Amino acid sequence: MWKVMNVNQIENEPSVKLFEGERALIITGLIGFLLSAGISIFIFFNDPIIAPEGNMRDAFSFNAAIGMFILSIAAILPLSRFGARKRKVVRWLFIFASIYSYTIETLQNFRGINPRFSREGTVVDIAAGMLFGVISLALVALTIVLMVHFLRMKQPHGRPFLIMGIRYAFLSVLAANSAGIWMIVLLDRLTGGAGNLIVLHGVGFHALQTLILPAWLLEKAQIHEKFKKILIHTGSIAWMLMVLVLGIQTALGQTVFEITILPIIALLFFLIWFGTVCVACRLLVKKRRKITVTAKVLE
């Protein structure tokens, strides 16, 4: 019993847990991965291009991205301090928007129709694409509402380091939403000679995983709180600067995958972020070893 009490004191389990009470959102996120898995099997046996406009590779990546995004929302929503009613409204708005997005993206590509900017579809297809755009804008608005809410949350926070990572993540998502609106205005994902807005869009949204992960790791590490904050700020700012540089490269109409000055600078910022994640992982492993040693001593 003495051993258990000491180990629990070291662990300091947080009072609010990730994903707590968000079963419906978790299932919705997993649907995206199941759809992507099914599409990958289809692509393995068939040509991913379906005339005249369909591309199953787009459906594969889109469903996986939405699934990951919804799982990320499910993880952080319990930390929002929303009341039961407001949290329920937010939850079901995300679920409705996701289900429609899964459906229109998958079915239209299977039919050979561009789900967003069709030039070959019927009036119904065009209307469905317009509704897709409206729902995308609604998701942008809903994400901004969440961002503002997390930025305005007052201390004390139950999990302050995680909240810090979430705030940075939403700022990156704001940049991703800007790229999404840019695509809607252009009615295309390509800009200039080789710029691809979908890359900027995706990198910005992945901050919901890349910036929250090190914060989650660091809150468990046994180091000075000031050092934890420095690592979170350093990694998050590096990620934000990477997104900014990629945005400039895309705005210039150039691919972010060429070996020129801006992509190289973006890569350096990425390596800085990755370095903070490695440090966080090492600190967590060191803590786990210390717990194991403590437990053995107390046996």
Side-chain angles (χ1 to χ4, degrees):
M1 182 177 179
W2 176 255
K3 175 182 71 175
V4 173
M5 290 176 62
N6 275 272
V7 173
N8 285 342
Q9 288 173 358
I10 294 173
E11 289 290 353
N12 290 323
E13 287 294 332
S15 57
V16 182
K17 296 182 179 180
L18 301 179
F19 299 103
E20 188 174 19
E22 295 302 334
R23 182 177 179 182
L25 273 176
I26 292 171
I27 292 172
T28 303
L30 292 176
I31 288 173
F33 289 104
L34 289 174
L35 286 170
S36 290
I39 292 170
S40 66
I41 295 172
F42 174 86
I43 292 174
F44 183 80
F45 292 103
N46 301 274
D47 189 340
I49 305 299
I50 301 177
E53 301 174 308
N55 188 338
M56 296 312 297
R57 289 197 185 97
D58 290 344
F60 168 83
S61 59
F62 177 86
N63 287 329
I66 291 295
M68 180 63 73
F69 172 69
I70 292 300
L71 284 177
S72 300
I73 295 297
I76 66 175
L77 197 55
L79 306 177
S80 65
R81 296 181 185 171
F82 280 143
R85 178 179 292 183
K86 190 170 185 179
R87 183 169 163 182
K88 184 177 181 180
V89 170
V90 171
R91 177 189 304 126
W92 285 101
L93 284 174
F94 273 117
I95 290 173
F96 171 78
S98 302
I99 295 300
Y100 180 83
S101 300
Y102 289 148
T103 302
I104 196 72
E105 181 75 25
T106 305
L107 289 182
Q108 292 295 74
N109 276 300
F110 261 122
R111 294 178 59 237
I113 301 297
N114 187 317
R116 297 172 185 78
F117 317 117
S118 178
R119 294 181 175 87
E120 301 290 338
T122 64
V123 174
V124 174
D125 294 320
I126 295 172
M130 292 175 64
L131 180 57
F132 198 6
V134 171
I135 287 178
S136 297
L137 290 175
L139 274 175
V140 170
L142 193 55
T143 304
I144 291 175
V145 168
L146 272 180
M147 178 189 73
V148 172
H149 176 76
F150 273 102
L151 288 174
R152 295 180 63 185
M153 283 176 62
K154 296 180 179 179
Q155 294 182 346
H157 305 303
R159 306 181 71 170
F161 302 110
L162 203 51
I163 295 297
M164 188 185 302
I166 290 171
R167 286 171 169 172
Y168 272 115
F170 271 120
L171 291 175
S172 179
V173 168
L174 183 62
N177 285 332
S178 300
I181 294 173
W182 193 350
M183 285 188 283
I184 292 174
V185 172
L186 291 177
L187 299 180
D188 201 347
R189 63 180 59 186
L190 302 177
T191 179
N196 192 340
L197 290 165
I198 201 67
V199 177
L200 178 63
H201 187 64
V203 171
F205 265 112
H206 278 304
L208 283 171
Q209 298 88 47
T210 58
L211 301 189
I212 294 176
L213 174 62
W216 178 74
L217 294 171
L218 285 168
E219 73 173 0
K220 298 173 179 294
Q222 290 184 316
I223 56 172
H224 197 280
E225 291 190 359
K226 185 176 181 180
F227 185 57
K228 291 182 181 182
K229 291 180 180 179
I230 290 173
L231 283 174
I232 293 173
H233 284 307
T234 301
S236 299
I237 292 173
W239 185 274
M240 296 290 296
L241 290 173
M242 178 188 71
V243 172
L244 175 63
V245 172
L246 293 179
I248 295 172
Q249 178 76 356
T250 303
L252 293 173
Q254 303 298 319
T255 175
V256 300
F257 299 109
E258 63 183 13
I259 305 177
T260 54
I261 184 64
L262 289 178
I264 290 173
I265 292 173
L267 177 61
L268 293 175
F269 284 131
F270 172 83
L271 292 175
I272 292 172
W273 165 82
F274 186 70
T276 63
V277 176
C278 291
V279 171
C281 289
R282 183 173 181 180
L283 290 170
L284 184 59
V285 170
K286 184 178 179 180
K287 177 192 174 182
R288 296 298 182 187
R289 288 176 179 172
K290 184 176 180 180
I291 292 172
T292 302
V293 172
T294 302
K296 288 182 179 179
V297 169
L298 294 172
E299 285 181 347

